[in-house]
Amino acid sequence: MVVSFKVKWLDLFLGILSIVLLVVVFVLSASFPEPHEAQLGAAVFPRIIALVLAVVGVYILVRAMGKKSNAAVDINNAQKVLLTFFILLLYGLFLKKVGFVILTPVFIAALLFLMRFSNVVTNLLTSILTTAGIYLIFKVLLSVPLPEGILGF
Amino acid sequence: MVQYLLNGFGHLIQTGSILALFIGVFLGIIIGALPGLTATMGIALLIPFTYGMDPSYALSLMVGIFAGGIYGGSISAILLKTPGTPAAGATVLDGYPLAQKGQAGKAVAVSTIASALGGLIGALILTFLAPQIAKIAVLFGPPEYVLLGIYGLSMISYVAGKSMAKGIFMGLLGILISTIGIDPISGFPRFTFGQLNLLNGLSLLPVLIGLFAAAQAFEGIEKYNEPQAQQAKINRIGISGKEFLRILPHIIKSAFIGTFVGAVPGTGTDIAAFLSYGEAKRSSKNGAEFGTGVIEGVAAPESGNNACVNGAMIPMFTLGIPGEAATAVMLGGLMLLGLQPGPLLFKDNPQVIYTVFASTITSNLLILVLGLLGARFFAKVLQLPTKLITTMIFVLAIIGSYAMRNNAFDVGVTIIAGFLGYILTKADYPVPPLLLGLILGPLVESNLGRTVIISEGNYFIFFTRPLCWLFWVLILYTVISNITKSKRASRQLDQTKR
């Protein structure tokens, strides 16, 4: 499945976002403490940047709406890209609780199936072997902390 | 200074950092050779695991990956017609035609020798020039640093890609994001929404890993069903003495171009390579044959981009300003190691800095040996299934961002930054300016705060100091030359459309 969206809609979105950010920065910075004499204060710099950002954002917005720009971005295999994003989120979310050793083979296998890497046996074997490899290199050799989770190692 | 450098070599061997350098160059060549994996990504993925290492060891690894990665890109440029890194884009022009003529081995040899020699010249310039620049940089006060930061940011227009406005937008967004967290002067927490995770700001590393590693892996998912490119065969590796003499002048000239381009903040290895290629084509007797497979066309960009690696480290170490994307990532790594880049680094940690210089010099020797002896092996690595590599990048990105602080929040930041980076890049919103803003924003703000304090609120101070004027001229020159450059570019685009 190919999903394509017009670049100008993204331009429009980011232009509006820059205005929203401007408002947010000014509202939130209103409660920042007053600076002492001859001090910059916490609010000045973010306000300047937000202001310039909004100017550039509005420029991009106006430019995108003005011309009949039909430039589009195509995302091939969009459902797989999105699915990967959600699988990643789940992996990242539960990694600490469940643990690296259990969750990583599942994650690798999921992506390999998603990309139609090979047959079932090869996919599963690959996912287990690569997990073991990473565990050996990082945990055993380099003593990098990997999430232990429920197994405790 | 020669004494310091000799000590650096001694330290390199004594601490075993030379082993780290070897591993770095080796991994770097593989990372660089694999299309879709860049040296920048390699360093970003590596940094979390260098945490707690001896600084010279960690920095040798990074130097190795950077130099090896930029060289490694040429292998796939020659054999696959796909540059392994953007820096090898110019190498395709003559490297692939050479391979088609059955001279892939010769092309690889030329690229290896040019990379090593160009890199060596760049490393020597770095070693002898950087301490001098550091001596000048000691004189900089807060106002100079503000302007230096603005100068670095003004280079955004060079790295901006197709649309300058979009590049500037991303740069400003990066600066704005960098203001999240405790204000550097008054210590007041800003825009944290009560999140403890945001008190020290959005940590740089998870964002980096997301933008430069995970985003690429999403691209890999998108292209999962594209067939892997056919590879040209490597025959005899080597060149004759006559051919060496033919490419030598181009190697030397490109090395100087590359080092200079690298030393200018904001411009990168890809620009160095294309400029070197253009200059070689212009000045060469057989310039018209460029593009059909001449060895000069491989030597020039490869010498230029590896020299650029070293040039880019000059502003990074002496001023704390990244020369290009990979050094911006390295800068993040330096800070994690507890080293504050800048002129004081030369005073406080001369041993570390000269060990790094010794590393940069040695790395080129390793490129020569590994490249000439290992080319066939690296060509084999190119046949690894991309689907597996894509998956591994995701896993390394996740455990890397986790390993830093054992924190699930960082993992989330990596995933979201990766996805957004992937979408934004597709719509011509370039990611490197965002990184530049994230790094230079705090530099500008904290020094602006100090300037206001020392000048007692008098902003005229920016015009009363002679060194400030130097930066005003630089900034003005950059901005004007970029505006005229982009006007010319858009005019050319209009003409080609008609």
Side-chain angles (χ1 to χ4, degrees):
Chain A
M1 187 179 71
V2 180
V3 168
S4 72
F5 64 90
K6 291 221 170 79
V7 174
K8 69 174 174 189
W9 294 121
L10 188 68
D11 293 346
L12 183 74
F13 171 76
L14 289 176
I16 294 171
L17 179 76
S18 71
I19 299 168
V20 172
L21 283 176
L22 179 69
V23 174
V24 169
V25 166
F26 271 78
V27 169
L28 286 180
S29 65
S31 59
F32 288 179
E34 278 293 307
H36 301 286
E37 214 174 315
Q39 259 200 13
L40 188 61
V44 177
F45 189 71
R47 281 182 182 172
I48 297 173
I49 298 299
L51 201 66
V52 186
L53 180 73
V55 170
V56 179
V58 169
Y59 168 75
I60 289 175
L61 185 154
V62 171
R63 191 180 63 172
M65 293 300 107
K67 63 180 176 197
K68 293 183 201 108
S69 162
N70 280 318
V73 170
D74 293 330
I75 299 180
N76 299 314
N77 304 312
Q79 78 276 50
K80 300 214 182 227
V81 174
L82 264 184
L83 210 56
T84 306
F85 179 61
F86 287 117
I87 294 174
L88 259 179
L89 279 180
L90 286 177
Y91 178 57
L93 212 63
F94 290 103
L95 189 60
K96 195 166 183 173
K97 281 204 188 72
V98 181
F100 176 84
V101 180
I102 299 176
L103 215 50
T104 305
V106 179
F107 171 75
I108 295 177
L111 283 199
L112 290 182
F113 279 114
L114 194 75
M115 289 189 278
R116 304 216 176 95
F117 175 62
S118 188
N119 57 42
V120 180
V121 179
T122 319
N123 280 359
L124 290 180
L125 217 61
T126 311
S127 63
I128 292 168
L129 286 179
T130 38
T131 307
I134 296 173
Y135 188 86
L136 267 179
I137 293 174
F138 289 98
K139 183 97 179 193
V140 180
L141 231 62
L142 298 172
S143 42
V144 169
L146 296 176
E148 293 180 343
I150 44 178
L151 285 183
F153 66 86
Chain B
M1 199 173 65
V2 176
Q3 182 64 41
Y4 274 130
L5 185 62
L6 286 178
N7 282 344
F9 275 109
H11 197 66
L12 185 69
I13 295 165
Q14 221 172 43
T15 56
S17 301
I18 192 149
L19 181 69
L21 184 68
F22 180 84
I23 296 170
V25 173
F26 184 78
L27 285 178
I29 298 176
I30 292 177
I31 289 168
L34 289 167
L37 274 65
T38 60
T40 315
M41 177 203 272
I43 299 169
L45 283 176
L46 175 87
I47 288 174
F49 308 116
T50 62
Y51 194 66
M53 273 186 196
D54 176 64
S56 3
Y57 205 82
L59 282 167
S60 297
L61 257 175
M62 287 186 221
V63 166
I65 293 209
F66 192 9
I70 298 300
Y71 157 68
S74 72
I75 296 177
S76 40
I78 292 164
L79 298 181
L80 298 179
K81 205 188 176 183
T82 314
T85 54
T91 311
V92 175
L93 299 174
D94 277 289
Y96 186 68
L98 270 171
Q100 276 181 314
K101 287 189 213 164
Q103 298 178 329
K106 190 194 275 179
V108 170
V110 168
S111 153
T112 309
I113 293 167
S115 296
L117 268 182
L120 181 66
I121 294 172
L124 290 174
I125 298 176
L126 164 73
T127 306
F128 290 99
L129 194 63
Q132 310 308 320
I133 293 180
K135 271 183 204 150
I136 302 170
V138 176
L139 304 173
F140 291 1
E144 281 82 14
Y145 271 103
V146 173
L147 293 175
L148 183 65
I150 295 175
Y151 169 60
L153 289 168
S154 71
M155 298 305 299
I156 282 177
S157 33
Y158 268 121
V159 285
K162 284 183 189 157
S163 160
M164 202 192 285
K166 290 180 177 179
I168 293 169
F169 184 89
M170 294 293 277
L172 288 165
L173 195 64
I175 304 176
L176 195 62
I177 293 173
S178 80
T179 64
I180 296 175
I182 289 173
D183 165 43
I185 299 291
S186 70
F188 185 78
R190 303 179 292 191
F191 315 121
T192 56
F193 303 98
Q195 266 275 358
L196 278 180
N197 284 312
L198 288 176
L199 260 191
N200 289 318
L202 205 58
S203 19
L204 189 63
L205 194 67
V207 180
L208 272 181
I209 296 176
L211 290 179
F212 290 97
Q216 278 286 340
F218 277 115
E219 182 105 16
I221 299 276
E222 185 189 332
K223 294 183 176 154
Y224 85 96
N225 49 1
E226 282 180 12
Q228 251 169 297
Q230 278 297 316
Q231 206 180 82
K233 276 214 163 49
I234 296 186
N235 39 359
R236 208 181 62 83
I237 300 168
I239 56 169
S240 67
K242 219 169 156 190
E243 285 167 326
F244 177 71
L245 288 179
R246 229 173 83 197
I247 56 173
L248 188 61
H250 292 288
I251 291 177
I252 295 171
K253 192 158 52 170
S254 304
F256 279 94
I257 296 175
T259 312
F260 177 75
V261 169
V264 175
T267 52
T269 43
D270 45 343
I271 297 175
F274 276 102
L275 279 180
S276 301
Y277 184 85
E279 172 55 27
K281 185 180 163 134
R282 189 195 65 78
S283 65
S284 181
K285 266 178 276 166
N286 53 352
E289 288 168 35
F290 271 57
T292 62
V294 291
I295 48 176
E296 292 93 330
V298 174
E302 280 307 312
S303 164
N305 62 23
N306 268 82
C308 180
V309 166
N310 298 285
M313 288 188 222
I314 296 175
M316 180 187 80
F317 282 126
T318 57
L319 305 168
I321 302 265
E324 59 118 54
T327 38
V329 177
M330 264 179 97
L331 204 62
L334 269 174
M335 293 176 192
L336 283 176
L337 291 169
L339 299 169
Q340 187 58 44
L344 289 181
L345 195 59
F346 287 76
K347 234 192 210 156
D348 301 341
N349 296 70
Q351 195 174 42
V352 172
I353 205 98
Y354 279 94
T355 308
V356 172
F357 290 161
S359 289
T360 59
I361 294 170
T362 315
S363 68
N364 298 296
L365 186 72
L366 294 175
I367 285 177
L368 193 68
V369 174
L370 281 173
L372 291 181
L373 297 181
R376 275 170 229 278
F377 167 77
F378 294 117
K380 279 254 160 39
V381 174
L382 286 180
Q383 290 164 347
L384 277 176
T386 37
K387 292 171 186 174
L388 201 57
I389 294 166
T390 301
T391 313
M392 295 310 295
I393 295 172
F394 275 130
V395 175
L396 288 180
I398 301 284
I399 62 173
S401 57
Y402 176 86
M404 267 313 302
R405 305 192 295 184
N406 296 342
N407 185 334
F409 181 82
D410 289 346
V411 176
V413 170
T414 295
I415 297 170
I416 289 166
F419 191 69
L420 291 180
Y422 158 73
I423 297 284
L424 286 169
T425 309
K426 283 183 95 60
D428 292 334
Y429 281 90
V431 168
L434 187 82
L435 178 62
L436 221 54
L438 274 174
I439 286 186
L440 294 179
L443 179 99
V444 172
E445 182 177 18
S446 57
N447 280 297
L448 187 62
R450 275 178 219 131
T451 305
V452 173
I453 291 171
I454 60 166
S455 72
E456 293 167 351
N458 180 5
Y459 287 92
F460 209 64
I461 190 170
F462 288 116
F463 300 98
T464 53
R465 295 164 70 109
L467 273 170
C468 283
W469 277 101
L470 176 78
F471 285 112
W472 281 120
V473 172
L474 277 175
I475 293 167
L476 223 65
Y477 172 77
T478 312
V479 171
I480 292 171
S481 74
N482 281 339
I483 290 172
T484 50
K485 185 193 77 174
S486 77
K487 265 199 181 144
R488 211 182 311 135
S490 65
R491 214 180 300 136
Q492 273 170 355
L493 202 69
D494 282 349
Q495 274 168 358
T496 47
K497 267 182 195 160
R498 278 184 213 123

